[in-house]
Amino acid sequence: MDEFALIRRFFTGLGPSLPEVIENVGDDCALLQLQPNEQLALSIDTSVADRHFPATADPWAIGWRCLAVALSDLAAMGARPVGFTLAITLPEADEAWLTEFSRGLRALADESGCPLIGGDTTRGPLTLSVQVQGVVTPEHVWRRAGAQPGQLLAVLGNLGSAAAGLRCFQEEPERLAHREDWNALEKAYLLPRPLTHEALRLMQGVAISAAIDVSDGLLADLQHLLASSAVAAELDLEQLPLHPQLLEKLGRPLALDAAQHGGDDYALLLTLDEADFPLARSLCPELKKIGIITKGAGIRTPGGELLEPQGYNHFSAQQDD
Ligand code: ADP
Ligand code: MG
């Protein structure tokens, strides 16, 4: 199968047809039609085999996941997805692998309403770069900056599950190949669900003052939001949303540790006025209040204990890669 046959067979007609997409796979560029007063939100995420995901994982999940992690960034800005491009580097044109990979990719493209509009196909070690495009109006876009002292800190989505799921796979790598058998923690790691629809619902009805998605760990990403907003937070660890299977697998102390420091959760952290919380809850019943924004810097418990981020950082001094 040559490059162009591969693109036609696996990467054409993937996801819904949107009125914004004037040209997609097949020309030199994709073309998107924007409306006046719309801003284009762009984000790219690269997933490298055996660094961001295990190469032996179910290819359906690899397809789903490489798009999910990128869509999570659009959700974090409150942007509506309008298309994505995929730069794929493959060791070989394995038809069975590509069939499942493109099915997983298509499943999320359909579910999130985000079509594949272009890309690049090359040979080499398995690497997937997904760039997502979304639209947002400038008066509503969510940024990391904007949190105000006195506002609530809320989270949407469970914390710590993905880190525990990774551990399950490390203990039993043979489980990687069959997504039908995965437990909730394993799914949280390899089949994360970007909170696209939840973000758009909140965006319609509630004033969110700042937002970030949790990809590197709660404390690390909260710290980014706080630094951008020049504020501090009081974080109530008792309120963190922990999946029952996480508690069962790790016990409460280690589960709390995973929830604070574990990565790959793709939850959303949001700040808003207390008065808006009931409305936000009615739009997203899973939204959980986990703290309050205060003056100053850093993250403390209600008892005053300082909480330090230790999230994953590809180029931190501790990592030898
Ligand atoms: P060019 O050489 O002009 O960059 P390519 O030959 O790389 O174009 O790609 C041909 C068309 O196929 C382009 O529209 C490109 O966006 C699309 N394409 C290539 N690879 C992929 C892919 N993996 N997924 C989606 N579209 C792709
Ligand atoms: Mg090209």
Side-chain angles (χ1 to χ4, degrees), residues 163 216-220 256-263 307-312:
D216 296 333
L218 170 66
L219 296 187
L256 268 178
D257 196 64
Q260 291 171 79
H261 304 291
L307 299 171
E308 301 265 21
Q310 314 161 2
Y312 187 82

Side-chain angles (χ1 to χ4, degrees), residues 3-4 7 28 119-122:
E3 182 186 325
F4 300 104
I7 294 165
D28 290 310
D120 196 27
T121 305
T122 52

Side-chain angles (χ1 to χ4, degrees), residues 142-224:
W142 303 342
R143 302 203 167 164
R144 295 179 180 188
Q148 302 286 337
Q151 291 187 318
L152 295 188
L153 175 66
V155 69
L156 198 54
N158 285 316
L159 296 168
S161 295
L166 172 59
R167 193 152 140 183
C168 294
F169 287 128
Q170 285 165 341
E171 287 162 6
E172 292 179 82
E174 62 284 0
R175 295 180 56 76
L176 279 165
H178 308 286
R179 73 179 192 285
E180 305 78 32
D181 301 335
W182 292 347
N183 62 39
L185 304 176
E186 291 165 332
K187 283 186 188 148
Y189 175 55
L190 281 183
L191 294 171
R193 207 174 59 78
L195 299 172
T196 307
H197 297 293
E198 289 83 348
L200 294 179
R201 275 208 302 280
L202 287 171
M203 159 66 73
Q204 300 297 316
V206 194
I208 300 295
S209 56
I212 190 169
D213 68 323
V214 181
S215 53
D216 296 333
L218 170 66
L219 296 187
D221 288 315
L222 173 56
Q223 188 56 60
H224 293 313

Side-chain angles (χ1 to χ4, degrees), residues 108-123:
L108 184 55
D110 285 335
E111 189 177 307
S112 59
C114 185
L116 178 58
I117 59 173
D120 196 27
T121 305
T122 52
R123 187 189 285 261

Side-chain angles (χ1 to χ4, degrees), residues 254-276:
L254 283 180
L256 268 178
D257 196 64
Q260 291 171 79
H261 304 291
D264 297 321
D265 282 316
Y266 301 102
L268 279 184
L269 272 181
L270 306 161
T271 59
L272 68 166
D273 283 343
E274 175 126 47
D276 290 333

